[in-house]
């Protein structure tokens, strides 16, 4: 078996990455990033928040933090293609370093421009309980219905499929006998709050590399050639 070679992902060389955060709902994931940046725990700048619904509470959180917002309402576009045309038109002039999916219900197409520059967090251990329709509390309901004893959180590079792409972090969370979708969500979200900023940090430091589909975390960023 030939071992695939290691492909490094440049990140921003340790500079604060300029982020676009895409969301559809409450925005607690966004809030965590805002809080971590304000506390100085995450060296990053949120350039823009884009919501796929006009009523997304995440927009309120963004406005409170003084972050530029756009709404690209998925419902007003007849196809994923047309929706992405509008989304990309918003993002292109901003030239962000990294797109952070934060409870984004719609498909974001990479279009050859964003490979390994889009992260997603999913509240389960992909490929289990993931894909279209597996969002927020629906995920935790499905986990409880299936009777599994562990679930967890995944942070991964997004590709053009829902909840799919090379996995950066996964961490298990126990499912307890008396869990409701809400109590399970809280336990999983506590892990999300820690892993998502950690992945952004490693990406910016250029410490994520790929060996085939496997993400390898480098002890330090590879040195750059001066030629
Ligand atoms: C988060 O738990 C996130 O993991 C999940 O949606 C929630 C968004 O919450 N994402 C997915 O299910 C992606 N398939 P928020 O709107 O409060 O940030």
């Amino acid at each position: 078996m030939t071992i695939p070679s290691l492909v490094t992902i440049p990140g921003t060389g340790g500079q604060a990455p300029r982020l676009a955060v895409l969301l559809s709902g409450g925005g607690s994931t966004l809030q965590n990033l805002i809080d971590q940046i304000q506390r100085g725990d995450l060296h990053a700048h949120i350039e823009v928040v884009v919501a796929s619904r006009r009523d997304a509470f995440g927009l309120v959180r963004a406005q409170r933090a003084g972050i530029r917002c756009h709404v690209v309402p998925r419902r007003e576009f007849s196809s994923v293609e047309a929706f992405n045309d509008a989304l990309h038109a918003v993002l292109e002039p901003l030239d962000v370093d990294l797109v952070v999916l934060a409870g984004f219900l719609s498909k974001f197409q990479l279009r050859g421009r964003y490979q390994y520059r889009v992260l997603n967090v999913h509240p389960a251990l992909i490929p289990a309980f993931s894909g279209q329709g597996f969002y927020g509390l629906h995920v935790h309901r499905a986990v409880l219905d299936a009777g599994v004893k562990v679930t967890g959180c995944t942070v991964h590079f997004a590709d053009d499929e829902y909840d799919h792409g090379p996995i950066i972090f996964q961490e298990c969370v126990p499912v307890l006998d008396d869990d409701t979708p809400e109590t399970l969500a809280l336990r999983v979200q506590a892990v999300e709050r820690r892993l998502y900023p950690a992945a952004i940090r490693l990406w910016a430091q250029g410490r994520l590399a790929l060996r085939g589909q496997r993400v390898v975390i480098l002890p330090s960023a590879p040195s750059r050639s001066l030629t």
Side-chain angles (χ1 to χ4, degrees), residues 25-29 102-103 121-123 134-136 139 163 189 192:
S28 62
T29 309
V121 62
H122 185 70
F134 281 97
Y135 167 77
V139 178
D163 301 326
Q189 278 170 2
E192 293 184 35

Side-chain angles (χ1 to χ4, degrees), residues 19-36:
L19 311 178
V21 178
L22 274 49
L23 54 81
S24 305
S28 62
T29 309
L30 167 69
Q31 190 64 57
N32 177 53
L33 297 178
I34 293 171
D35 294 346
Q36 295 232 7

Side-chain angles (χ1 to χ4, degrees), residues 19-25 27 29-30 33 46 48-53 56 58-59 70 72 83-84 87-88 90-91 94 96 98-110 114 117-121 135 158 196:
L19 311 178
V21 178
L22 274 49
L23 54 81
S24 305
T29 309
L30 167 69
L33 297 178
I46 302 175
V48 66
V49 166
V50 186
S52 65
R53 298 173 57 120
L59 287 167
H70 285 271
V72 182
F83 170 66
N84 270 268
L87 213 50
H88 281 258
V90 168
L91 293 181
L94 299 173
V96 296
L98 186 67
V99 175
V100 175
L101 304 181
F104 191 60
L105 272 175
S106 309
K107 196 173 267 188
F108 176 71
Q109 299 175 327
L110 305 193
Y114 290 98
R117 294 208 291 130
V118 185
L119 302 186
N120 185 39
V121 62
Y135 167 77
Y196 215 10

Side-chain angles (χ1 to χ4, degrees), residues 127-148:
F129 305 106
S130 63
Q132 191 164 15
F134 281 97
Y135 167 77
L137 285 179
H138 297 295
V139 178
H140 303 298
R141 266 187 217 110
V143 163
L144 292 174
D145 288 348
V148 296

